[in-house]
Amino acid sequence: MSLESEFISRIHFNDKGLVPAITQDFETKAVLMLAWMNEQAVRQTVESGFATYFSRSRNKIWVKGEESGNSQQLVSIQADCDSDTLLLLVKQQGPACHTGNVTCFFEQGIAFGNEEMESNQ
Amino acid sequence: MSLESEFISRIHFNDKGLVPAITQDFETKAVLMLAWMNEQAVRQTVESGFATYFSRSRNKIWVKGEESGNSQQLVSIQADCDSDTLLLLVKQQGPACHTGNVTCFFEQGIAFGNEEMESNQ
C-alpha cells in the first residue's frame, strides 16, 4: 500500500464520513481555519499537495483558493493520537478567510489576565 | 449581558449541541489538540479560566488535567468567522496528549517537498 493510502486508511471518519482538519500557517504558526474533509478530499489533498476540503453546506469537494486564488500548498499533513482530527501545515497564498482576514480567527474573543497575573507574582 | 454570556450566545453549536475547540500552546504556537465543548463546557472554561471540554465517549464535562495535572490555563478564547469553531490559546502544564506526548499531533504523517522545491528554484 502506498504511504498515501496507508495514511488515509488509518483515519477515523465520523458517522457522516467526515474528519475535521485544522489548517495552520507554516511560517507564522497562526491557526488559519477549521474545515472538513471526506475520504476523497483527503486523497485529493495528499495527491495534489493542495488543501482540498468538503463543503458541508454545498455538499461537494472544494479546492481551497480555486476561485479566490488563496490556495494552501501543503508542507505536511498529520493525524492526531486517535486519528479523528487532521492537522495541515500550509503555505497560505493571500488571506485564508473568506472575509479577507488573514485567519478565520480574527474576532477578539475573551482575553484572560494571565500575563499580568504572572508579572505580579 | 456579560461579555462571557454574549460570547457564548454567538456560538453555533452543532446538531448535537457541540462545537469543536482547537487548543494551541501560547508560547510555542504548537497546535496541541482538538476537543469538543457543549454550552456548559464553554461557560465553565470562560468562568474558570481553565480549558473544560465535553467528552463524547464518556458523555460528560471534563476539566482538562483534573486527573493528570496537565491543565490548560487560558490566555484567550475566540470563535471563528462563522462562529462554529473555537480557538483556545493556553499555558499548557505538562504534556497535552494522554499518550504523554507534548501534542496530540505527534505522528509523522506525510511531508511534502515544498522546501526542497523552493530551494531548487
Side-chain angles (χ1 to χ4, degrees):
Chain A
M1 209 189 308
S2 70
L3 178 64
E4 289 78 9
S5 293
E6 197 185 319
F7 176 78
I8 294 168
S9 72
R10 285 202 306 268
I11 297 171
H12 295 165
F13 295 92
N14 71 12
D15 53 3
K16 292 171 182 158
L18 300 174
V19 63
I22 302 165
T23 305
Q24 184 177 28
D25 188 291
F26 169 66
E27 276 144 21
T28 66
K29 307 299 180 203
V31 174
L32 299 173
M33 54 188 282
L34 180 138
W36 294 80
M37 293 185 178
N38 63 3
E39 185 173 329
Q40 189 192 336
V42 180
R43 188 169 296 279
Q44 267 188 235
T45 296
V46 297
E47 286 179 355
S48 69
F50 285 88
T52 303
Y53 303 104
F54 181 81
S55 168
R56 296 175 300 168
S57 56
R58 290 175 291 157
N59 201 41
K60 65 170 197 171
I61 293 283
W62 157 58
V63 179
K64 173 71 179 166
E66 195 172 34
E67 292 175 19
S68 64
N70 301 329
S71 62
Q72 296 174 333
Q73 186 179 9
L74 257 71
V75 175
S76 66
I77 185 169
Q78 296 168 273
D80 72 345
C81 54
D82 49 8
S83 298
D84 65 2
T85 303
L86 301 179
L87 177 63
L88 283 65
L89 272 175
V90 302
K91 298 196 170 185
Q92 173 71 52
Q93 284 292 324
C97 187
H98 74 285
T99 59
N101 285 281
V102 171
T103 159
C104 291
F105 298 93
F106 58 86
E107 300 274 11
Q108 188 167 3
I110 302 175
F112 296 78
N114 302 327
E115 293 312 294
E116 289 71 20
M117 283 163 63
E118 273 213 340
S119 63
N120 287 339
Q121 279 171 4
Chain B
M1 209 189 309
S2 70
L3 177 65
E4 289 78 7
S5 292
E6 196 183 321
F7 176 78
I8 295 168
S9 72
R10 285 202 307 267
I11 298 171
H12 295 166
F13 294 92
N14 71 12
D15 54 3
K16 291 171 182 157
L18 300 174
V19 64
I22 302 165
T23 305
Q24 184 177 27
D25 188 293
F26 170 67
E27 277 144 20
T28 67
K29 307 298 180 205
V31 174
L32 299 173
M33 55 188 281
L34 181 139
W36 294 80
M37 291 186 178
N38 63 3
E39 185 173 330
Q40 188 193 335
V42 180
R43 188 169 297 280
Q44 266 188 236
T45 296
V46 297
E47 287 179 355
S48 69
F50 285 88
T52 303
Y53 304 104
F54 181 81
S55 168
R56 296 174 302 166
S57 56
R58 289 174 290 157
N59 202 40
K60 65 170 198 172
I61 293 282
W62 157 56
V63 179
K64 173 71 179 167
E66 195 173 36
E67 291 177 18
S68 64
N70 301 329
S71 62
Q72 297 174 333
Q73 187 180 8
L74 257 70
V75 175
S76 66
I77 185 169
Q78 297 169 273
D80 71 346
C81 54
D82 48 8
S83 299
D84 64 1
T85 302
L86 301 179
L87 176 64
L88 283 66
L89 272 175
V90 302
K91 299 195 170 185
Q92 173 70 53
Q93 283 293 325
C97 187
H98 73 286
T99 59
N101 285 281
V102 170
T103 158
C104 291
F105 298 93
F106 58 86
E107 300 273 9
Q108 187 166 4
I110 301 175
F112 295 78
N114 304 327
E115 292 313 293
E116 290 71 20
M117 285 163 61
E118 275 212 337
S119 63
N120 286 338
Q121 277 169 3

